[in-house]
Amino acid sequence: MARIYNFSAGPSMLPEAVLVKAQQEMLDWRGSGMSVMEMSHRGKHFMAIAETMKNDLIELMAIPANYKVLFLQGGASAQFAMIPQNILNGKTTACYVNTGAWSTSAIKEAGKYCEVKTVASSEEGKFTGIPAFEKWRIDPAAAYLHYTSNETIHGVEFNQVPEAGGLPLVCDMSSNILSRSVDVGRYGIIYAGTQKNMGPSGVTVVIVREDLVGLAPKSVPSVFNYQQQANSDSMLNTPATYNWYLLGLVLQWLKAEGGVAAIEQRNIQKADKLYQAIDQSSLYSNPVDKDCRSRMNIPFVLADAALDKEFLKQAELNGLSTLAGHRSVGGMRASIYNAMPEAGVDALIEFMAEFERSH
Ligand SMILES: *Cc1c(COP(=O)(O)O)cnc(C)c1O
């Protein structure tokens, strides 16, 4: 069976080379006589897999030495709670920027633990832009400033790191981590679920600056405590071993592709092409301000919504899958993460043009 182009927002496409490698190593990982799934997480084989994976991430993102890199469970959603639980440090407020559905979820969860000050919001404009940095009202007494660098549903992405007014900057990078170069040193915490741009679901990467580790009150459960997880190499409980392994394969693939800077160039090219096709057509349109359009998730609507069903059906028949927009916004969305080959974007553009001609 031929593989399709899968435009799903997550879980999403993986590099084919990674799947083939996993298949080759499925029954016998490098002469160990077992599958990675069957290994003890404390055994020498898995320890080697874990160490390589972590070092590859540190190398790819150039993570400075004063950061802990954790591999946890519960997704980015768990971090929505773990962040205030771990770093409020006796403070009663935290600052959040609201640029879309995922920011909104983070704000809601943080509200269980502290008073959330929304320093800026683009909700009134239906989340199609980013409020100008000069207008953000950052409270210097807050514990941290949180934002979402790429809004997966609304297709809004930051092209600059915001000024945090002296607060630790906390960023949900779930849907654009490893897609572009990032100066990790600007951040207090970077976190991301792996299922968008790093691998299959089941792992959450948390990169946390050392001074933010060890601040959690005793009441925080051990597995949710950054300090305890850091002290035990994220193995306080049994980790999602196979998912760590697959994440490791994706990182090795990315290194072989030339690393983050190289993939960023390709991502720019892919996204530019698709936006250009949308902007030049009279059937398709994208509502997001041009200076913050996402390179990863590209939503678009058809001028006549009555054609949506037919568009999706025809796309599917052409091997272009999962293009429906999120149920909260409707329309279409093409998620084109690192693993989406340029040929997939070309095929989509060609299909869209043909569909426009025939409708
Ligand atoms: C998908 C996504 C989440 C939620 O991730 P889970 O791993 O399902 O908790 C959070 N934030 C962003 C930006 C996302 O894209």
Side-chain angles (χ1 to χ4, degrees):
M1 190 204 136
R3 279 175 57 77
I4 55 168
Y5 292 119
N6 174 10
F7 293 90
S8 168
S12 45
M13 245 180 131
L14 289 167
E16 194 167 308
V18 165
L19 297 175
V20 169
K21 180 99 173 160
Q23 183 183 45
Q24 285 165 352
E25 296 182 335
M26 174 63 79
L27 297 182
D28 172 15
W29 183 79
R30 303 184 197 175
S32 65
M34 31 176 177
S35 170
V36 174
M37 279 183 239
E38 304 168 300
M39 291 174 179
S40 163
H41 59 299
R42 311 255 179 230
K44 67 170 196 260
H45 297 308
F46 189 74
M47 292 301 257
I49 290 169
E51 192 178 318
T52 304
M53 183 269 280
K54 183 174 172 176
N55 288 338
D56 283 343
L57 183 63
I58 290 170
E59 183 186 328
L60 279 163
M61 291 185 73
I63 300 172
N66 62 326
Y67 284 76
K68 301 287 186 195
V69 185
L70 309 178
F71 302 93
L72 306 178
Q73 297 184 38
S77 301
Q79 292 311 307
F80 293 167
M82 280 177 66
I83 287 158
Q85 283 185 317
N86 277 273
I87 70 166
L88 277 174
N89 195 23
K91 301 213 164 97
T92 55
T93 57
C95 289
Y96 279 71
V97 182
N98 192 2
T99 52
W102 288 114
S103 305
T104 304
S105 295
I107 288 168
K108 197 164 163 229
E109 192 71 3
K112 294 180 179 175
Y113 302 95
C114 61
E115 187 198 331
V116 172
K117 294 201 169 159
T118 303
V119 302
S121 172
S122 55
E123 188 170 9
E124 253 178 38
K126 295 197 170 148
F127 298 126
T128 52
I130 294 174
F133 291 166
E134 312 82 74
K135 297 196 176 137
W136 294 18
R137 299 179 314 269
I138 297 171
D139 176 358
Y144 59 89
L145 173 67
H146 178 283
Y147 79 109
T148 307
S149 57
N150 184 62
E151 285 285 355
T152 320
I153 293 172
H154 291 92
V156 172
E157 183 171 14
F158 282 74
N159 282 308
Q160 278 166 348
V161 183
E163 283 300 333
L167 302 182
L169 186 59
V170 176
C171 183
D172 178 357
M173 277 191 199
S174 291
S175 51
N176 68 350
I177 191 165
L178 295 176
S179 72
R180 60 196 298 154
S181 301
V182 164
D183 181 358
V184 176
R186 300 276 306 268
Y187 293 88
I189 297 177
I190 290 170
Y191 67 98
T194 47
Q195 73 273 21
K196 309 286 167 53
N197 204 25
M198 303 183 96
S201 61
V203 187
T204 319
V205 171
V206 182
I207 302 163
V208 50
R209 210 173 56 213
E210 270 168 359
D211 60 286
L212 299 172
V213 174
L215 306 178
K218 283 206 179 67
S219 59
V220 172
S222 303
V223 291
F224 300 154
N225 183 307
Y226 290 152
Q227 174 92 74
Q228 284 181 266
Q229 287 288 8
N231 289 349
S232 58
D233 283 330
S234 310
M235 291 197 193
L236 202 61
N237 68 314
T238 313
T241 52
Y242 197 70
N243 306 57
W244 284 29
Y245 159 73
L246 290 171
L247 167 56
L249 293 186
V250 171
L251 298 176
Q252 276 166 29
W253 168 82
L254 184 51
K255 279 172 69 175
E257 294 292 308
V260 173
I263 209 88
E264 177 170 9
Q265 288 314 308
R266 271 192 265 163
N267 288 333
I268 291 171
Q269 205 166 314
K270 277 153 49 185
D272 280 354
K273 267 188 191 181
L274 186 48
Y275 282 117
Q276 210 169 56
I278 291 169
D279 290 343
Q280 285 171 357
S281 96
S282 44
L283 179 59
Y284 311 107
S285 63
N286 168 286
V288 179
D289 294 350
K290 288 212 164 88
D291 59 356
C292 55
R293 284 172 157 188
S294 171
R295 293 173 186 165
M296 298 280 100
N297 311 96
I298 303 187
F300 58 93
V301 293
L302 275 60
D304 177 4
L307 288 173
D308 284 5
K309 267 207 175 107
E310 184 62 14
F311 179 92
L312 289 167
K313 187 174 143 207
Q314 292 298 330
E316 202 74 50
L317 289 172
N318 282 275
L320 308 167
S321 174
T322 333
L323 281 161
H326 190 268
R327 58 189 184 280
S328 63
V329 294
M332 309 297 154
R333 172 177 51 170
S335 295
I336 53 171
Y337 300 115
N338 288 353
M340 172 61 69
E342 189 162 352
V345 176
D346 291 340
L348 174 62
I349 291 169
E350 201 176 310
F351 166 76
M352 287 168 69
E354 179 53 37
F355 187 88
E356 184 168 359
R357 265 192 297 278
S358 55
H359 291 83

